[in-house]
Amino acid sequence: MKRHPRNVPEHKPHLRADVAWALHQILDVGKSTNEILPIGIARYQKAEDKAWFQECLYGCLRDVPLFQHWTNLLLTKSLDNKGKIAEKLIMVGLFQLHAMRTPDHAAISETVNAVKIAGYPRYSGVINAVLRRFLRDKIAQIPIDVPHIRYGMPKWLLKQIRIDYPDTWEPVVKKSNEKPPIFLRINRLAVEPEGYIETLKSNGISFEKLSEFSIKLKQNINVTELPGYADGAFSVQDYAAQHSARLLDPKENESILDCCAAPGGKASGIYEYCPNISNLLAIDSDQLRVNRMIDNFKRLTHTADKLQVRLDDASTFSTLDDQQKFDRILLDAPCSATGIIRRHPDIKWLRKRADIDALVAIQKKILEQAWQRLKEGGTLLYATCSILKAENVEQICWFLSTHSDAEWIKIHPDESVNQPGWQILPGEKEMDGFYYAKLRKRQT
Ligand SMILES: C[S@@+](CC[C@H](N)C(=O)[O-])C[C@H]1O[C@@H](n2cnc3c(N)ncnc32)[C@H](O)[C@@H]1O
C-alpha cells in the first residue's frame, strides 16, 4: 500500500520558479502532476495565477522533446549537473516565448529573475542569453523532421502507437496533445437534472447537453466555482468514463464490486445509475486515493450504508470472506493511462516501456482474482484508460482463451470475435481514450 511524503518548494512563491520546480519534480524525480499540481497552485490566491501555473506546466509537459531540442541548439555548452532547475526554467521561458501571450521582454526578465529566486543566480546569464538567441535566430521557424520531437512523444510510445494503429496513429497522437473539454455528470440523487441545467443557464455558463445527465462545458472554468459544487450537484468525469455505469448496468438488489475504485468517479456513477442495488463495495489499494474517494462520496451525498469503501489489494482481496461473491464487478484496471495523455501530459514522461509488461501482469492477476469473486451468471466489466492493445483487446483475448466459463458480451457494433471490446480513441466524439469489454460467467 502506498505512502505519500510531503513535498513543497523551498523558495518563496514565484510562478516561473514554481513551474520549474514542478517540472523538476515530475521529469527528474518522477512525481505525477496529480501530486505536484495541487501543491503548486495552493501557493497562489488569485484564480489567474493558478490558471497560469497550470497552463505553463502542462504546456511545457506536452512538448518536452521540442523544448529540449531547442535548448540543445541554443546552449553553447551543456549545463552542469546542478543546472536541473535552470534547464527547466529555459523550458518555461521558451514556452512563454513560443506559446503564451506574455510580452517577450517580460518573459525573459521574469524567467531570469526566477532563477535567482529559485536559488541558482549563477545561471541567470545563460538563461538570458539562450532566450534572447531563441528570438534573434528565429529558432521556432526551423523545420523539425524527427518524429518524436514533432509529435511530442517518447520514442517507445510513438513506436507502439504506430504498431497498434498503423492507419490512424497520427490523429491519435495529435489528439493526445490537444487540450480536452470538461464534462460533467449531473448527480441525479442530489439535484433534479433539468432544474440544474436551468441553473447553469441562468448563471451564464456555456455548455452542451449530451444526455439527460451529461454535459460538456464550452468554457474554461474552475469547476469548484460552478453552482452546486459543494452540495454535490455534479461530478467532473470524461464522457468516455461516464459510459461505465450504463455498460455495467447494475440492477435492483444486486451486489456490486468496484475493485480499483478510487477516487470513486465510476463507483459514484454506478450508484447514481441504480441506487436500489443491494450493496456496492468500492476497493482500492492506495490509502490517499481511498481518502479522496470517501471525501468525494460525502460531497455527492452518497452516504448510504450500502455504499462501502475499503482499503484492499484486488490481487489478493485479503479483507473479503472466502465465499463473498458479487453479481456485477467493475474492474477499472491500473493501466498505462495512455488514453488520457491530453489530461495528464506527465504520463508521457513517467511511463517507461518496461512498465507496460508489469501493468499487463498485474491486470491479469486482478482479472483472475476478480473473476473468482463473480457469481455464476454474473457480469464483469473490464475497463482501462489505455489505448495500447496489450492492455486491452489482447488482454481480453487471452482471458477468453484461458477461461472456458467466460463469455464475451458485445457492447459496441465495432466489436468482433477477434477484436472483443470497445476501444475509444482520444478525441473520438471529444472523449478520452478508453477501453471497455464485458464478460459473463457461464452457469455450470
Ligand atoms: C484507473 S484508476 C481507478 C479510477 C476509478 N475507477 C474512478 O473511476 O475514479 C485505477 C486504480 O487502481 C488502484 N489500484 C492499483 N493496483 C491495485 C490493486 N492491486 N488493488 C486495488 N486497487 C489497485 C489505483 O490506486 C487506482 O486508484
Side-chain angles (χ1 to χ4, degrees):
M1 317 256 176
K2 282 190 192 162
R3 290 180 181 280
H4 298 266
R6 192 101 186 95
N7 180 14
V8 286
E10 284 169 16
H11 53 261
K12 67 176 186 186
H14 182 283
L15 279 168
R16 288 157 181 88
D18 283 1
V19 174
W21 170 84
L23 286 168
H24 169 61
Q25 291 296 318
I26 294 163
L27 298 175
D28 302 327
V29 183
K31 307 270 176 179
S32 69
T33 48
N34 276 347
E35 184 182 345
I36 296 304
L37 181 71
I39 298 171
I41 59 181
R43 284 160 63 84
Y44 300 92
Q45 299 299 322
K46 291 191 199 149
E48 70 237 43
D49 287 342
K50 291 177 192 282
W52 195 99
F53 180 89
Q54 178 160 355
E55 185 184 349
C56 187
L57 176 62
Y58 278 42
C60 290
L61 287 172
R62 283 200 177 95
D63 271 314
V64 169
L66 177 67
F67 297 125
Q68 284 174 338
H69 170 70
W70 284 343
T71 305
N72 291 339
L73 287 179
L74 291 160
L75 278 174
T76 44
K77 82 175 180 24
S78 17
L79 298 173
D80 55 32
N81 57 10
K82 292 224 170 89
K84 298 246 183 266
I85 292 287
E87 179 193 270
K88 305 304 175 295
L89 271 165
I90 292 177
M91 220 179 248
V92 169
L94 291 174
F95 177 67
Q96 292 168 82
L97 295 175
H98 181 56
M100 287 184 104
R101 283 188 296 268
T102 323
D104 293 348
H105 65 276
I108 296 175
S109 67
E110 280 303 314
T111 308
V112 170
N113 196 20
V115 82
K116 297 175 190 157
I117 287 179
Y120 300 92
R122 69 192 176 95
Y123 296 101
S124 49
V126 72
I127 291 183
N128 187 36
V130 160
L131 297 182
R132 286 184 190 284
R133 207 174 303 143
F134 175 76
L135 293 175
R136 191 196 61 206
D137 295 351
K138 298 188 172 32
I139 296 292
Q141 291 176 16
I142 301 174
I144 290 169
D145 54 11
V146 183
H148 81 278
I149 300 178
R150 183 136 48 95
Y151 294 110
M153 282 276 164
K155 284 184 200 160
W156 73 268
L157 183 55
L158 185 60
K159 185 174 168 201
Q160 193 57 53
I161 294 174
R162 289 179 84 149
I163 292 170
D164 284 356
Y165 301 96
D167 301 326
T168 52
W169 66 270
E170 197 170 20
V172 167
V173 168
K174 283 187 175 163
K175 290 284 178 189
S176 293
N177 285 336
E178 286 177 6
K179 282 192 205 166
I182 300 173
F183 295 92
L184 305 184
R185 186 190 76 226
I186 301 172
N187 176 4
R188 64 199 90 171
L189 303 183
V191 293
E192 199 275 305
E194 270 311 314
Y196 185 68
I197 280 173
E198 288 309 313
T199 306
L200 288 182
K201 279 186 196 157
S202 59
N203 278 271
I205 310 292
S206 171
F207 65 90
E208 182 186 338
K209 185 175 164 188
L210 304 175
S211 75
E212 198 182 347
F213 309 109
S214 307
I215 61 173
K216 183 183 80 185
L217 294 180
K218 286 182 154 178
Q219 66 187 86
N220 215 349
I221 193 166
N222 176 354
V223 290
T224 61
E225 286 164 16
L226 286 173
Y229 173 80
D231 305 321
F234 62 87
S235 293
V236 178
Q237 187 178 44
D238 188 83
Y239 199 45
Q242 291 192 30
H243 288 286
S244 54
R246 176 183 64 78
L247 294 174
L248 185 69
D249 198 20
K251 302 271 194 296
E252 194 170 344
N253 292 326
E254 286 185 340
S255 56
I256 315 291
L257 172 66
D258 182 346
C259 43
C260 295
K266 297 186 192 67
S268 54
I270 291 166
Y271 182 60
E272 287 160 27
Y273 181 93
C274 185
N276 296 331
I277 49 170
S278 149
N279 65 301
L280 192 164
L281 178 59
I283 278 177
D284 202 279
S285 61
D286 184 325
Q287 180 69 67
L288 207 67
R289 290 172 69 87
V290 165
N291 295 348
R292 273 179 61 204
M293 177 154 60
I294 293 169
D295 290 345
N296 283 339
F297 286 175
K298 273 190 202 141
R299 182 183 67 83
L300 294 167
T301 64
H302 297 344
T303 51
D305 288 345
K306 65 170 89 173
L307 205 54
Q308 297 150 10
V309 172
R310 194 179 295 170
L311 181 69
D312 199 354
D313 186 328
S315 63
T316 55
F317 288 125
S318 57
T319 68
L320 292 189
D321 292 342
D322 284 349
Q323 297 311 315
Q324 198 172 352
K325 298 205 172 181
F326 299 83
D327 295 297
R328 287 176 205 256
I329 297 180
L330 172 64
L331 168 46
D332 187 15
C335 71
S336 62
T338 41
I340 55 170
I341 282 172
R342 56 190 203 144
R343 291 193 191 279
H344 302 280
D346 55 324
I347 288 165
K348 294 192 281 192
W349 321 115
L350 296 178
R351 284 277 171 270
K352 306 291 174 225
R353 174 69 193 91
D355 296 345
I356 305 306
D357 294 340
L359 284 162
V360 168
I362 183 75
Q363 289 156 2
K364 280 192 166 51
K365 215 167 165 189
I366 300 179
L367 252 170
E368 290 279 13
Q369 284 299 318
W371 195 248
Q372 304 304 318
R373 296 294 174 172
L374 190 63
K375 291 181 187 169
E376 285 187 11
T379 42
L380 181 145
L381 184 67
Y382 177 79
T384 73
C385 54
S386 167
I387 53 170
L388 301 184
K389 295 202 167 172
E391 300 177 272
N392 297 345
V393 63
E394 289 170 13
Q395 191 68 281
I396 293 305
C397 285
W398 161 79
F399 193 79
L400 287 165
S401 69
T402 52
H403 293 75
S404 56
D405 59 347
E407 187 187 359
W408 158 60
I409 301 172
K410 194 168 177 171
I411 51 174
H412 192 269
D414 290 349
E415 286 180 85
S416 64
V417 185
N418 297 327
Q419 297 284 323
W422 176 25
Q423 179 69 66
I424 305 168
L425 293 175
E428 201 177 313
K429 297 196 176 146
E430 298 195 71
M431 293 185 280
D432 282 345
F434 227 86
Y435 176 80
Y436 288 110
K438 192 165 179 173
L439 306 173
R440 181 185 293 125
K441 197 174 200 174
R442 289 198 174 93
Q443 315 255 15
T444 47

